Amino acid sequence: MKNITVLGAGLVGSLLAVMLGRRGHTVQLIEKRPDLRKVKWEDGRTINLALSERGWRALERVGLVEEVKQLAIPMYGRMMHNEKGDLTFQPYGKEGQSIYSVSRSQLNEKLMNLAEEEGKVQLFFEQKCTQVDLEKPAVHLTHVVSGEESILQPDILIGADGAFSAVRSAMQRTNLFNYQQYFIEHGYKELTIPPKRDGSWAIDKHALHIWPRGNFMLIALPNPDGSFTCTLFFPFKGEVSFDKIRTQADVIHYFETYFPDILPLMPNVAEEYLQNPTSSLVTIRCYPWTYKNKAAIIGDAAHAIVPFYGQGMNAGFEDCIILDQLMEKYSQNWEQIFEEYQGQRVDNAEAIADLALQNFVEMRDYVADPKFLLRKKIEAHIHQLYPDLWTPLYTMIAFSHIPYAEALRLGKKQDAIMQQIMATPSIEEKWPQLDYKTILQEHQQ
Amino acid sequence: MKNITVLGAGLVGSLLAVMLGRRGHTVQLIEKRPDLRKVKWEDGRTINLALSERGWRALERVGLVEEVKQLAIPMYGRMMHNEKGDLTFQPYGKEGQSIYSVSRSQLNEKLMNLAEEEGKVQLFFEQKCTQVDLEKPAVHLTHVVSGEESILQPDILIGADGAFSAVRSAMQRTNLFNYQQYFIEHGYKELTIPPKRDGSWAIDKHALHIWPRGNFMLIALPNPDGSFTCTLFFPFKGEVSFDKIRTQADVIHYFETYFPDILPLMPNVAEEYLQNPTSSLVTIRCYPWTYKNKAAIIGDAAHAIVPFYGQGMNAGFEDCIILDQLMEKYSQNWEQIFEEYQGQRVDNAEAIADLALQNFVEMRDYVADPKFLLRKKIEAHIHQLYPDLWTPLYTMIAFSHIPYAEALRLGKKQDAIMQQIMATPSIEEKWPQLDYKTILQEHQQ
């Protein structure tokens, strides 16, 4: 059994610590922020979680499904709000299928508690990592309040320390490390729709709400307390952008122009807008993810993605599942475990990174397009007729365990077929009568 | 007039210093290595320079053409060596067109001398940059011998400090900095073909020699002293790779197997192979290249590329031309100068980075393919018939000033046309009779 240090007690780090502890390893779980269970981490820059099938399977593995279900609000589809306030609903999957809005902090607390209950996992808070030595491996820590310095020298070091990972930075200084960080031109800002007077939700709580506006969009996810956490995705610069909105009057004017139906439900929008930070959105791709049998990175540290497919946490949890399966298979052969871990995951991480970037365009622009909605309807129809021959891309990502890269590949094939179908004259009327079986068979040859 | 610090006295930094000095600025040119004119930098990892049209134009701008011509050896085409020792010559351009083999150190010396003669440029050697502050801007320096520390606070800081640039590292820590480093799976090793007994060249001095072997290759460029500098591009890992060749006997066996014609000309190949380092090859892409009106990066610091198109220095020199033109146009408006500089250059840098990666496959693999050589012959033929309608991609890159991005775009169009032409039955016999004008006109519609 090994002595393992996990850097970062966020969702992925905490889940991994549970799994490592259960396999008999001694784990130090290190976090630079204070204990979330005593001091909230909320800093006005949380994007709500959308927990879907891959995430649930990971929670199942550690026995947390029932507890988390209590906290989760099912969202059965997208509710689009146009400029006039008209609503269009588009289901995510088949009847009854949903993704779940979950509070990041509540889920994190549950995972920390579980890690601590394990007995093999020790949590350390307010410990900032100042240096990483991959070769030993070792991490230098400084307590953020007392300034006290310490050095940990585990057998294995795992970086679950997010998009700006210190473990990955150390890897980046080794030779032949491929690395990319890519910021999109949009930032985001958190806003809130408070509960109604009676404590209930101001808009439908069982949907993910989207106000698609071409080059920008607002979304809202329900919270258990009756509020919604909204996120505005908006260009940093340009004609209509963060850059141009500087006063309370600007904020009100902007919302009146683009989001008139939501403005009455957000009494504090101007203050919140000016007070909350504007954050950036980065995609990180890198390789390798491991260093000898000594260190590895996981979750956002290895593959930070933009939030538009709701898969960031789900992908990180899937990393944990794979690593746990490999520990089961190879026991103490860490070189083998690490080699297969990165071998299995890197292409899938690339695929979900691409899909997440693509989905931003879909969400902010296409979802307002009747042709797009018709296409989604037809795809659902084909899926219902021939579930073995056709699974829509969103369903593969959110409601299955098909590897992301495989889903992306199948999605591209479907794209070609749907383009052909959508080119049918008068498709708006004819779609229920088309001979989909023949079309699918033609494409399979 | 400004006080400007240029970090890095390599080819691009030295050239830029000349240009800045001539525009009246006071320049500190800082280099971490010793003065090249007293102590050679040679470290067994030089890839020879192939100076082409873009590079010449930059030298013309500072009046160095005649002097450098004296040092340069024209190479009129590629000389391919197959496993049997048979030779095939493929011209680079029209008759008389050539690229030039130039000694990196000799060219660098010339540029340093010119910078010093300017009077406005001061050179400092053995000064290692330990810290960069973009906001001030400031650079912290430590003398590598005495250990003495100093701080420079110029008005403007320019990083011409290569693929592992300290200025770029500082930029990378600012928000919204997009960055990618990508290592190919091949490394390289420098080797030598010494002059013959009588001091002359052992193989044709007016060609760039290539031994294409599929997944690896050896190249050789002539030096004025009768020797050739050879570079072996070879995978780090795999069946036939750096990893597998560890003893003198391994080296000899490898050369006997793959490069039998050259082995007798390299009496010290085994010693050299084991003694010289194995270096890696990286492509760097990033954006932005400037920080306010305070700092900028140039050359490899902004866009390190693999050497397979022979454009690394030429691209860096073209950066200098553009910057010099913008200084002329906008005088002291540095925000404007920097904005247009990066605006004009970044897409071109991306394009030459892509082309250089593609050309590796062409050089190590396709050049041995009769179909490929036929295609090149046909392209040259079309170019001769219709010089206004068709310029081969290599010619656009090496013998013109067409922006790289434009050349890449045109090259893709040509690719489609050539694929069609090459699909003509019995193209081997029929090519001189085809109606190229009609084919080109069809594609222009």
Side-chain angles (χ1 to χ4, degrees):
Chain A
M1 294 301 112
K2 297 288 182 186
N3 185 11
I4 301 178
T5 296
V6 176
L7 217 55
L11 296 164
V12 171
S14 299
L15 173 65
L16 183 65
V18 173
M19 290 172 168
L20 291 169
R22 291 198 180 168
R23 300 232 167 255
H25 303 295
T26 305
V27 181
Q28 302 85 44
L29 181 57
I30 310 294
E31 173 58 49
K32 71 164 180 268
R33 293 166 290 188
D35 189 340
L36 171 69
R37 297 163 297 184
K38 296 170 192 157
V39 184
K40 290 281 166 252
W41 288 348
E42 276 157 28
D43 55 357
R45 40 198 287 170
T46 322
I47 297 175
N48 268 38
L49 296 175
L51 186 57
S52 58
E53 183 51 32
R54 293 165 209 261
W56 285 115
R57 182 175 283 185
L59 294 176
E60 190 179 39
R61 218 172 160 85
V62 295
L64 266 190
V65 169
E66 286 315 311
E67 265 187 78
V68 176
K69 273 263 160 80
Q70 309 297 319
L71 315 168
I73 301 176
M75 301 181 289
Y76 295 98
R78 296 167 171 165
M79 185 70 84
M80 273 80 75
H81 298 239
N82 75 8
E83 266 116 334
K84 293 186 210 139
D86 300 335
L87 302 184
T88 315
F89 182 76
Q90 182 215 326
Y92 278 129
K94 288 187 287 201
E95 208 176 322
Q97 276 185 325
S98 68
I99 61 174
Y100 291 81
S101 178
V102 182
S103 147
R104 178 181 292 268
S105 56
Q106 285 183 330
L107 180 55
N108 215 331
E109 279 185 30
K110 294 263 174 228
L111 287 164
M112 282 181 184
N113 288 338
L114 196 63
E116 227 159 30
E117 284 163 20
E118 242 3 90
K120 302 288 286 181
V121 182
Q122 238 190 313
L123 280 81
F124 298 89
F125 292 97
E126 300 182 296
Q127 293 286 353
K128 187 177 158 54
C129 169
T130 55
Q131 199 185 318
V132 169
D133 178 339
L134 294 174
E135 202 52 53
K136 276 193 177 106
V139 271
H140 296 238
L141 301 172
T142 302
H143 193 278
V144 294
V145 181
S146 72
E148 202 178 318
E149 297 182 3
S150 58
I151 299 175
L152 289 177
Q153 290 194 266
D155 301 315
I156 293 170
L157 170 64
I158 299 188
D161 48 344
F164 301 97
S165 168
V167 180
R168 191 189 64 230
S169 284
M171 287 184 175
Q172 205 181 327
R173 287 188 293 274
T174 62
N175 196 17
L176 303 180
F177 186 76
N178 289 336
Y179 175 74
Q180 182 179 27
Q181 63 183 41
Y182 170 71
F183 288 87
I184 63 170
E185 289 166 11
H186 295 67
Y188 71 91
K189 193 181 281 285
E190 187 184 312
L191 300 166
T192 317
I193 300 174
K196 290 202 287 191
R197 287 263 164 85
D198 65 0
S200 67
W201 291 265
I203 51 179
D204 184 348
K205 71 177 270 203
H206 288 302
L208 189 153
H209 294 264
I210 310 183
W211 290 257
R213 295 296 181 263
N215 193 31
F216 56 90
M217 71 173 179
L218 182 74
I219 67 169
L221 278 82
N223 297 314
D225 69 357
S227 68
F228 282 81
T229 301
C230 305
T231 312
L232 174 66
F233 297 97
F234 200 29
F236 283 107
K237 288 178 182 174
E239 276 298 296
V240 186
S241 69
F242 279 125
D243 201 27
K244 294 289 160 64
I245 293 177
R246 303 187 173 239
T247 65
Q248 295 213 359
D250 293 344
V251 178
I252 299 298
H253 178 71
Y254 171 61
F255 272 77
E256 273 171 350
T257 311
Y258 295 103
F259 311 111
D261 66 335
I262 202 70
L263 185 57
L265 307 178
M266 299 175 97
N268 303 317
V269 66
E271 292 85 345
E272 256 195 324
Y273 185 101
L274 298 179
Q275 193 184 308
N276 280 345
T278 305
S279 305
S280 55
L281 293 160
V282 71
T283 300
I284 305 270
R285 303 170 198 255
C286 66
Y287 194 79
W289 292 2
T290 63
Y291 183 79
K292 301 182 183 172
N293 58 356
K294 297 177 179 184
I297 47 178
I298 192 164
D300 284 358
H303 51 78
I305 61 178
V306 292
F308 306 109
Y309 227 113
Q311 287 293 310
M313 173 195 61
N314 293 287
F317 278 13
E318 208 175 44
D319 292 344
C320 294
I321 295 177
I322 300 292
L323 208 47
D324 197 38
Q325 287 170 339
L326 291 168
M327 288 191 281
E328 191 165 12
K329 189 168 170 193
Y330 295 114
S331 182
Q332 296 301 306
N333 185 348
W334 285 89
E335 227 149 316
Q336 188 83 25
I337 291 169
F338 279 179
E339 198 51 42
E340 285 201 28
Y341 159 64
Q342 66 184 8
Q344 278 192 43
R345 290 306 282 168
V346 69
D347 289 349
N348 292 317
E350 287 276 351
I352 194 63
D354 290 341
L355 286 166
L357 285 165
Q358 287 167 25
N359 220 41
F360 184 29
V361 182
E362 177 169 324
M363 285 177 85
R364 71 183 202 232
D365 206 350
Y366 297 168
V367 291
D369 176 355
K371 270 258 171 180
F372 173 83
L373 293 172
L374 175 62
R375 178 184 154 158
K376 288 280 168 187
K377 201 192 274 181
I378 296 173
E379 282 198 64
H381 179 67
I382 304 176
H383 181 46
Q384 204 167 25
L385 289 174
Y386 308 108
D388 297 340
L389 295 179
W390 189 284
T391 308
L393 180 56
Y394 190 91
T395 299
M396 290 191 273
I397 299 298
F399 304 126
S400 93
H401 300 278
I402 297 169
Y404 291 127
E406 174 72 3
L408 177 62
R409 199 184 60 74
L410 292 169
K412 282 181 183 162
K413 274 179 75 172
Q414 293 177 348
D415 236 14
I417 300 173
M418 287 310 298
Q419 274 181 23
Q420 182 193 325
I421 291 172
M422 296 304 289
T424 311
S426 310
I427 181 70
E428 290 80 359
E429 290 85 48
K430 287 202 182 137
W431 71 268
Q433 282 88 47
L434 290 187
D435 177 4
Y436 293 105
K437 189 149 201 183
T438 306
I439 295 172
L440 296 189
Q441 279 165 348
E442 273 167 16
H443 277 269
Q444 274 185 334
Q445 282 156 4
Chain B
M1 294 301 111
K2 296 289 183 186
N3 185 12
I4 301 179
T5 295
V6 176
L7 217 55
L11 296 164
V12 171
S14 299
L15 173 64
L16 182 65
V18 173
M19 291 173 166
L20 292 170
R22 292 199 179 167
R23 299 229 168 257
H25 303 295
T26 305
V27 181
Q28 302 86 44
L29 181 56
I30 310 295
E31 174 57 49
K32 72 164 179 269
R33 292 167 291 187
D35 188 341
L36 172 67
R37 297 163 297 182
K38 297 170 191 156
V39 184
K40 291 280 165 254
W41 289 348
E42 276 158 26
D43 54 356
R45 38 198 288 172
T46 322
I47 298 175
N48 267 39
L49 296 176
L51 186 56
S52 57
E53 183 52 31
R54 293 166 208 262
W56 285 115
R57 181 174 283 186
L59 294 176
E60 191 179 38
R61 218 172 161 85
V62 296
L64 265 191
V65 169
E66 286 315 312
E67 265 187 78
V68 176
K69 272 265 160 78
Q70 308 297 319
L71 314 169
I73 302 175
M75 301 182 289
Y76 295 98
R78 295 167 172 163
M79 185 70 84
M80 272 80 74
H81 299 238
N82 75 8
E83 266 115 334
K84 294 186 211 140
D86 300 336
L87 302 183
T88 314
F89 182 76
Q90 182 215 326
Y92 277 129
K94 288 187 286 200
E95 207 176 321
Q97 276 186 326
S98 68
I99 61 173
Y100 291 81
S101 178
V102 181
S103 147
R104 177 182 293 269
S105 55
Q106 285 182 330
L107 180 55
N108 214 331
E109 279 185 31
K110 295 265 175 228
L111 287 164
M112 281 181 185
N113 288 338
L114 197 63
E116 228 159 28
E117 285 163 20
E118 243 1 90
K120 303 287 288 180
V121 181
Q122 239 192 312
L123 279 83
F124 299 88
F125 292 96
E126 300 183 295
Q127 292 287 354
K128 187 176 156 54
C129 168
T130 55
Q131 200 185 316
V132 169
D133 179 339
L134 295 173
E135 201 52 53
K136 276 191 176 109
V139 271
H140 296 238
L141 302 172
T142 302
H143 193 278
V144 294
V145 182
S146 72
E148 202 179 320
E149 297 181 4
S150 58
I151 299 175
L152 290 177
Q153 289 194 267
D155 301 316
I156 293 170
L157 170 64
I158 299 189
D161 48 345
F164 301 97
S165 168
V167 180
R168 191 189 65 231
S169 283
M171 287 185 175
Q172 205 180 328
R173 287 188 292 273
T174 62
N175 196 18
L176 301 181
F177 187 76
N178 289 336
Y179 175 75
Q180 181 179 28
Q181 63 183 42
Y182 170 71
F183 288 88
I184 62 171
E185 288 166 12
H186 295 67
Y188 71 92
K189 192 181 283 286
E190 188 185 311
L191 299 166
T192 317
I193 301 175
K196 289 203 287 193
R197 287 261 166 89
D198 64 2
S200 67
W201 290 266
I203 50 179
D204 184 349
K205 72 178 272 204
H206 287 303
L208 190 154
H209 294 264
I210 310 182
W211 290 258
R213 296 294 180 266
N215 193 30
F216 56 90
M217 71 173 179
L218 182 72
I219 67 168
L221 278 82
N223 298 315
D225 68 356
S227 68
F228 282 82
T229 301
C230 306
T231 313
L232 174 66
F233 297 97
F234 201 29
F236 282 106
K237 289 181 183 171
E239 276 298 296
V240 186
S241 70
F242 279 124
D243 202 27
K244 293 290 160 62
I245 293 178
R246 304 187 173 240
T247 66
Q248 295 213 357
D250 292 345
V251 178
I252 299 297
H253 179 70
Y254 171 61
F255 272 77
E256 273 171 351
T257 310
Y258 295 103
F259 312 109
D261 67 336
I262 203 69
L263 185 57
L265 307 177
M266 300 174 96
N268 303 317
V269 65
E271 292 85 345
E272 257 196 323
Y273 186 100
L274 298 179
Q275 193 183 309
N276 281 346
T278 305
S279 306
S280 54
L281 293 159
V282 71
T283 300
I284 305 271
R285 303 169 198 256
C286 66
Y287 195 80
W289 291 3
T290 63
Y291 183 78
K292 301 182 183 171
N293 57 356
K294 299 177 178 184
I297 47 178
I298 192 164
D300 284 359
H303 51 78
I305 62 179
V306 292
F308 305 110
Y309 228 113
Q311 287 293 310
M313 175 196 59
N314 293 287
F317 277 14
E318 208 175 43
D319 292 345
C320 295
I321 296 177
I322 299 291
L323 208 47
D324 197 38
Q325 287 170 340
L326 292 168
M327 288 191 283
E328 192 165 10
K329 188 168 171 194
Y330 295 115
S331 179
Q332 296 301 307
N333 185 347
W334 284 90
E335 227 150 316
Q336 187 83 25
I337 292 169
F338 279 178
E339 197 51 42
E340 284 201 28
Y341 159 65
Q342 64 183 9
Q344 278 191 44
R345 289 306 283 168
V346 69
D347 289 348
N348 292 317
E350 287 276 350
I352 193 62
D354 290 342
L355 285 166
L357 285 165
Q358 287 167 24
N359 220 42
F360 184 30
V361 183
E362 176 170 323
M363 285 177 84
R364 71 182 203 234
D365 206 351
Y366 297 166
V367 291
D369 176 356
K371 270 257 173 184
F372 173 83
L373 293 172
L374 176 62
R375 178 184 153 159
K376 288 281 167 186
K377 201 190 276 181
I378 296 173
E379 283 198 64
H381 179 66
I382 305 176
H383 180 45
Q384 204 166 24
L385 290 174
Y386 309 107
D388 297 341
L389 294 180
W390 190 284
T391 306
L393 179 56
Y394 190 90
T395 299
M396 290 192 273
I397 298 299
F399 304 125
S400 93
H401 300 279
I402 296 169
Y404 290 127
E406 174 71 1
L408 176 62
R409 198 184 60 74
L410 292 169
K412 281 182 185 163
K413 272 178 77 173
Q414 293 176 348
D415 235 15
I417 300 174
M418 287 310 299
Q419 275 180 24
Q420 182 194 325
I421 292 171
M422 296 303 289
T424 312
S426 310
I427 180 70
E428 290 80 0
E429 289 84 47
K430 287 204 183 134
W431 71 269
Q433 282 87 49
L434 290 188
D435 177 4
Y436 293 104
K437 190 149 200 184
T438 306
I439 295 172
L440 296 189
Q441 279 165 348
E442 273 168 14
H443 277 268
Q444 274 184 333
Q445 285 156 2

